[in-house]
């Protein structure tokens, strides 16, 4: 168990086993180790272990966008060491949108929850945008 | 910036394990093939910048958003 002080979360107790490694990095964020923590169902924090004040809100997209979907390339599956679909969790970052909330559907975070490996991918699909409003 | 002149079919090697090959040139468009090891993600520069901007915006938004608005 690692204990880390952060201004936003106070003292964070992090179990080594919950650390998700992003071996390819996350564009714009100079860290590779993250944890997921529940905020309010279904919203979670994606928190950088080396600097917990670097954190974003994420949600599984399917609840808000039921038709959301994409195929994982062999390359990404191999980075994730994913053998079956059940190993995979998908999250999208939340953004502000006028008075409401939007999600970045264009570049989701794909996580192998068993092996604790994550990758942020980019979807070529034109129908997904970087800022898609979420209807309440 | 290093600038190299290449013909169609010729390649450039970056380090031990990245190969950039000129596949085709058609007017102002160049088709490029890239071989890189697993774990090196390749993006079009302008899209990489957009992912980056969106992530930075998400870090900022996380300080201002009220996630409870989502669950009403």
């Amino acid at each position: 168990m690692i204990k880390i002080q952060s201004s936003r979360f106070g003292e964070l107790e992090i179990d080594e086993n919950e650390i998700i490694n992003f071996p390819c990095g996350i564009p714009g964020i100079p860290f590779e180790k993250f944890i997921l923590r529940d905020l309010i169902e279904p919203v979670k924090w994606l928190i950088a272990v080396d600097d917990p004040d670097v954190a974003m809100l994420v949600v599984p997209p399917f609840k808000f966008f039921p038709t959301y979907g994409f195929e994982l390339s062999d390359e990404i599956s191999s980075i994730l060491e994913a053998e079956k679909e059940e190993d995979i969790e998908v999250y999208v970052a939340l953004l502000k949108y006028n008075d409401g909330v939007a999600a970045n559907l264009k570049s989701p975070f794909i996580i192998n929850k068993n092996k604790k490996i994550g990758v942020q991918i980019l979807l070529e699909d034109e129908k997904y945008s970087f800022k898609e409003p979420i209807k309440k | 910036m290093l600038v190299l002149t290449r013909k169609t079919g010729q390649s450039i090697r970056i380090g031990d394990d990245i190969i950039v090959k000129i596949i085709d040139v058609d007017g102002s468009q160049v088709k490029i093939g890239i071989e890189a090891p697993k774990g090196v993600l390749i993006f079009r520069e302008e899209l990489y910048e957009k992912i980056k901007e969106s992530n930075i915006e998400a870090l900022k938004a996380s300080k201002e958003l009220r996630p409870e608005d989502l669950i009403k």
Side-chain angles (χ1 to χ4, degrees):
Chain A
M1 199 73 90
I2 318 164
K3 286 185 181 175
I4 301 170
Q5 285 298 333
S6 74
S7 57
R8 195 184 300 187
F9 303 101
E11 187 178 80
L12 263 180
E13 286 198 1
I14 299 172
D15 190 326
E16 295 268 9
N17 298 322
E18 69 173 318
I19 296 176
I20 304 160
N21 198 36
F22 281 73
C24 310
I26 296 180
I29 303 180
F31 303 111
E32 289 188 8
K33 289 175 179 174
F34 292 81
I35 53 166
L36 280 169
R37 285 290 168 91
D38 291 331
L39 178 58
I40 315 168
E41 174 61 27
V43 185
K44 290 180 195 279
W45 283 109
L46 182 66
I47 305 168
V49 172
D50 294 315
D51 183 358
D53 291 318
V54 173
M56 62 171 80
L57 298 168
V58 297
V59 289
F62 309 109
K63 192 179 165 106
F64 303 99
F65 304 96
T67 60
Y68 188 65
F70 50 84
E71 211 160 290
L72 273 189
S73 67
D74 291 344
E75 213 180 340
I76 300 293
S77 299
S78 128
I79 292 169
L80 288 168
E81 297 177 25
E83 278 147 27
K84 47 190 192 299
E85 221 176 302
E86 295 80 65
D87 296 340
I88 298 293
E89 279 177 348
V90 179
Y91 294 97
V92 291
L94 295 181
L95 303 159
K96 282 176 75 171
Y97 189 84
N98 300 333
D99 292 338
V101 183
N104 173 0
L105 296 188
K106 191 78 175 167
S107 46
F109 297 99
I110 320 292
I111 293 168
N112 180 340
K113 60 182 175 188
N114 299 322
K115 299 230 165 130
K116 302 288 173 195
I117 302 169
V119 179
Q120 185 175 29
I121 64 168
L122 178 83
L123 302 181
E124 297 284 342
D125 200 326
E126 291 292 332
K127 68 183 177 212
Y128 298 129
S129 75
F130 283 97
K131 202 171 205 178
E132 200 68 35
I134 291 181
K135 292 183 189 77
K136 282 183 244 175
Chain B
M1 186 188 281
L2 173 69
V3 179
L4 300 169
T5 304
R6 300 271 66 195
K7 291 183 175 144
T8 303
Q10 291 184 324
S11 303
I12 292 162
R13 188 178 280 263
I14 302 170
D16 278 342
D17 42 22
I18 297 177
I19 295 172
V20 179
K21 185 173 183 178
I22 308 306
I23 307 289
D24 191 22
V25 181
D26 181 11
S28 66
Q29 281 215 321
V30 182
K31 193 181 272 180
I32 297 169
I34 302 159
E35 270 181 48
K38 170 183 153 180
V40 177
L41 294 187
I42 297 157
F43 298 105
R44 290 173 181 82
E45 169 68 5
E46 65 276 18
L47 290 174
Y48 181 88
E49 283 301 321
K50 280 190 181 166
I51 304 174
K52 190 171 151 183
E53 277 165 28
S54 185
N55 285 339
I56 291 165
E57 193 181 331
L59 295 180
K60 191 166 164 275
S62 72
K63 295 175 183 150
E64 297 161 14
L65 275 178
R66 296 180 354 131
E68 54 270 30
D69 289 346
L70 271 182
I71 52 172
K72 270 177 203 161

